[in-house]
Amino acid sequence: MARGAKLLTLGVLFAGLVGLPFFLTGYKLRFVTWLLMWVGLASTWNLFSGYTGYINFGPVAFFGVGAYVTAVLMVKAGVSFFPALLAAGVLAGIAALLLGVPTLRIRGAYFAIATLAFSEATRSLTLNLSGLTEGGKGLMLPIYNNAYFFYFVILGLTVAVVATVAFIQRTRFGITLVSIREDEVASQVLGVNTFLNKMAAFGLSGVFLALYGGIYAYWQTFIEPGEVFNVLYSVQMLVMTFLGGSGTLLGPIVGAVVLGAMTEYLWATFTYVYLIFVGVLIVATVLFLPDGVWGYCVQTQSRRRRRAQPAPVLE
Amino acid sequence: MAETLDFLLPHPEGDTQMLALKQLTKAFGGVRAIDNLTVSFEPHRVHGLIGPNGAGKTTLFNLTSGTLRPDNGEISFNGVPITWWNPWNIARLGIGRTFQTIRIFPKMTVLQNMMVPYGTDPSRSVELLEFVGLREFRDAPARELSYGQQKLLEFARALVTSPRFVLLDEPTAGVNPILVEKIMGHIRNLTRDGKTFIVIEHDMKVIMNLCERIVVLHNGEKIADGPPEMIKTNQQVIDAYFGD
Ligand SMILES: Nc1ncnc2c1ncn2[C@@H]1O[C@H](COP(=O)(O)OP(=O)(O)OP(=O)(O)O)[C@@H](O)[C@H]1O
Ligand SMILES: [Mg+2]
């Protein structure tokens, strides 16, 4: 697409997203807000795992930490929402770096297991720090009944996340992350400090996840460890990303919208079928569309474009 | 000018060591891939590194580039001990390498592959791609290249940051003879400009043609070291290759 057409599409899309809530009410507005959150969560997961190939199986840890830090600061310390949210982001970023030091040295299944264990550990910790978190009883936040507010805060954050990924993709940092996924040792002997690059991406993803968690807590007004540390949330970020195409800008967005819409329908009609459905979807994606829906489109397109070029002249 | 003419000056033994391995040992289980090896390589030379399969040649490269840790011994580069350095810091010191089993970034395009090295130079990227005949494939995913082309891409990628010291692990395997000649010419030119190479190669014609000095490994030990004419007639080397 030409640059002008691209900008025009973006402009129209943005205007549409800004105007949309005023045509929706109650339930539908909540659904669209929820969908935008998942677009952002999947994109955030992709920002680290999609580009570096390190499968983070516990992203919900940072989401949950963000939710609880925001909630505790607001409820127990009387901090107002945005400062509390900022603190949650900073804290989760630090937590991600601390977790990264030992775990980013290990690859493959071990990294996935380590991050999964971490998310379960943060859940137990939250349950047990009941003086601060009220444990399993959950925490009630100050009620702020303004659906537009949450729509626009989440829209803003999701735009920021997608713009960040788009920017990273164009920088050397983006190329470096992909090189880590493709062949980390080769990248290292070419002078790339892979550890630092992984840490940066992991820390950044931790911050974004926590921001979503904090907003989510305030939006829902009630949180409990079982929900904001739900392993299924981690799985959903992963499935959305792979369904759409990991390591691409638009993949997680496509995946989140497709799976989000299907979930909404299935969840409402047959709750039990949902998990089976997600399982089947994972298998089908891996088998038939290893690069995801969007990844598949991009590849066929680029192949066609190259075939259309004149044949190279041999020396 | 001073730098380009440097190679003409006599190098008194002793302070001519650019890369020095001292009593280096690396074992895998019971196999001593490198066995108490002491050897050094001087600047502005093309060194050949030969030896039968499993002699420890690739392991020597892995230890030097920091992708493997030795059990014992020391490695220094221009007097700097680099034994325990990270691979990226060793690379930034000016040591480049290629791999025996190709390690390109398969899903990246050819040009993106050239953009990964730290301190890469875009104009030199294109120049080098042109040189190895891959310019027209610059936007193709690297995995779509043939084996020989992938080997060439790795060669070009290793040179794009102009490292002072380059380790090439069988650079000509699978590459067509005309291009092999061209690559050998390029290696000679770069050596004249002050670079240093160690080339692992099974093709003796290439080695004897290209190298001023050849180091022969066998069971992780150095069994011969000298100019090609000397190596050709060395009885120990002949035994190592043809069995005793
Ligand atoms: N990562 C590894 N794990 C276990 N054993 C290894 C490893 N790398 C090398 N070896 C062993 O160390 C010995 C030396 O291997 P190396 O690859 O250095 O040989 P080489 O001289 O490069 O051989 P070739 O000419 O076949 O490439 C071999 O016996 C090999 O099996
Ligand atoms: Mg080898």
Side-chain angles (χ1 to χ4, degrees), chain B residues 56-221:
Chain B
K57 306 180 294 293
T58 299
T59 305
L60 191 153
F61 276 16
N62 289 341
L63 292 169
T64 305
S65 60
T67 62
L68 263 186
R69 299 296 181 204
D71 302 328
N72 246 314
E74 263 172 51
I75 306 171
S76 59
F77 184 66
N78 284 331
V80 182
I82 57 167
T83 322
W84 299 99
W85 282 33
N86 278 318
W88 53 84
N89 286 327
I90 292 175
R92 289 178 192 193
L93 211 53
I95 302 181
R97 76 167 289 186
T98 64
F99 293 88
Q100 180 174 0
T101 48
I102 300 171
R103 299 190 85 148
I104 49 156
F105 306 114
K107 281 191 181 176
M108 286 189 184
T109 67
V110 168
L111 195 63
Q112 279 170 340
N113 263 269
M114 300 293 284
M115 282 153 67
V116 173
Y118 179 83
T120 185
D121 173 351
S123 67
R124 192 156 161 69
S125 292
V126 178
E127 233 173 76
L128 276 163
L129 285 181
E130 175 91 63
F131 177 78
V132 295
L134 291 177
R135 213 179 109 118
E136 54 262 38
F137 301 100
R138 53 198 274 177
D139 295 321
R143 64 170 165 205
E144 288 180 11
L145 298 179
S146 73
Y147 178 87
Q149 287 174 322
Q150 292 184 4
K151 203 90 204 171
L152 291 168
L153 172 58
E154 221 198 345
F155 176 77
R157 193 183 63 182
L159 293 179
V160 71
T161 54
S162 306
R164 286 182 284 170
F165 197 93
V166 191
L167 314 169
L168 300 173
D169 202 340
E170 304 193 13
T172 64
V175 175
N176 88 63
I178 298 166
L179 210 43
V180 169
E181 281 297 322
K182 214 174 141 189
I183 285 178
M184 283 168 54
H186 195 57
I187 292 173
R188 278 192 206 98
N189 285 341
L190 288 172
T191 311
R192 206 169 308 126
D193 292 344
K195 304 226 179 295
T196 308
F197 288 87
I198 305 180
V199 183
I200 296 178
E201 190 52 78
H202 282 295
D203 185 336
M204 286 305 145
K205 266 214 298 289
V206 171
I207 281 287
M208 297 294 163
N209 239 317
L210 187 63
C211 305
E212 293 133 86
R213 187 185 141 201
I214 296 171
V215 172
V216 189
L217 289 187
H218 184 40
N219 294 331
E221 294 176 271

Side-chain angles (χ1 to χ4, degrees), chain A:
Chain A
M1 239 189 298
R3 202 181 157 74
K6 237 180 199 168
L7 282 176
L8 190 69
T9 314
L10 271 179
V12 169
L13 186 69
F14 190 69
L17 283 170
V18 169
L20 187 65
F22 304 107
F23 296 94
L24 300 173
T25 46
Y27 178 77
K28 283 203 177 113
L29 180 54
R30 219 170 328 131
F31 173 67
V32 175
T33 308
W34 177 88
L35 200 59
L36 277 174
M37 181 178 84
W38 277 101
V39 166
L41 286 173
S43 294
T44 303
W45 190 84
N46 181 50
L47 161 64
F48 172 71
S49 293
Y51 286 94
T52 65
Y54 276 69
I55 305 298
N56 180 358
F57 230 92
V60 80
F62 303 107
F63 181 84
V65 164
Y68 264 95
V69 171
T70 307
V72 167
L73 284 177
M74 289 179 77
V75 175
K76 306 269 163 165
V79 180
S80 54
F81 174 62
F82 281 110
L85 186 65
L86 188 72
V90 170
L91 223 82
I94 294 170
L97 294 183
L98 290 180
L99 175 66
V101 170
T103 58
L104 286 174
R105 291 164 202 279
I106 48 179
R107 254 213 106 97
Y110 296 104
F111 179 76
I113 291 165
T115 45
L116 177 63
F118 176 74
S119 87
E120 285 300 287
T122 46
R123 186 172 62 95
S124 308
L125 191 68
T126 312
L127 265 170
N128 288 310
L129 286 175
S130 47
L132 218 55
T133 64
E134 305 292 337
K137 277 190 295 176
L139 257 184
M140 193 76 195
L141 283 87
I143 293 174
Y144 186 52
N145 217 339
N146 184 343
Y148 294 121
F149 173 79
F150 291 106
Y151 176 86
F152 282 109
V153 170
I154 288 181
L155 175 64
L157 182 55
T158 297
V159 167
V161 167
V162 174
T164 303
V165 177
F167 176 72
I168 288 175
Q169 250 193 346
R170 293 162 161 267
T171 60
R172 187 178 153 70
F173 182 39
I175 292 226
T176 305
L177 294 181
V178 176
S179 77
I180 290 170
R181 179 187 72 203
E182 301 276 281
D183 193 328
E184 187 163 355
V185 171
S187 185
Q188 290 174 343
V189 305
L190 294 170
V192 175
N193 186 337
T194 53
F195 183 64
L196 202 68
N197 282 279
K198 286 183 286 186
M199 286 286 269
F202 195 54
L204 190 60
S205 76
V207 171
F208 281 135
L209 288 164
L211 294 180
Y212 280 106
I215 298 168
Y216 182 76
Y218 194 31
W219 183 30
Q220 298 298 306
T221 67
F222 175 76
I223 55 168
E224 51 170 343
E227 208 232 321
V228 294
F229 289 103
N230 188 345
V231 177
L232 275 184
Y233 285 4
S234 292
V235 173
Q236 191 155 301
M237 288 179 218
L238 185 153
V239 174
M240 284 172 167
T241 307
F242 277 107
L243 177 66
S246 70
T248 62
L249 176 65
L250 295 182
I253 301 177
V254 171
V257 170
V258 170
L259 188 68
M262 289 196 276
T263 305
E264 177 64 11
Y265 175 70
L266 282 175
W267 195 251
T269 36
F270 348 85
T271 310
Y272 290 107
V273 180
Y274 173 69
L275 284 181
I276 300 171
F277 170 74
V278 169
V280 170
L281 202 63
I282 295 171
V283 174
T285 309
V286 168
L287 284 182
F288 302 114
L289 282 178
D291 292 311
V293 176
W294 179 252
Y296 178 78
C297 298
V298 171
Q299 282 200 357
T300 21
Q301 199 197 2
S302 81
R303 202 164 298 143
R304 199 171 311 136
R305 193 181 316 136
R306 255 181 298 121
R307 210 168 295 140
Q309 276 175 1
V313 185
L314 290 173
E315 286 183 61

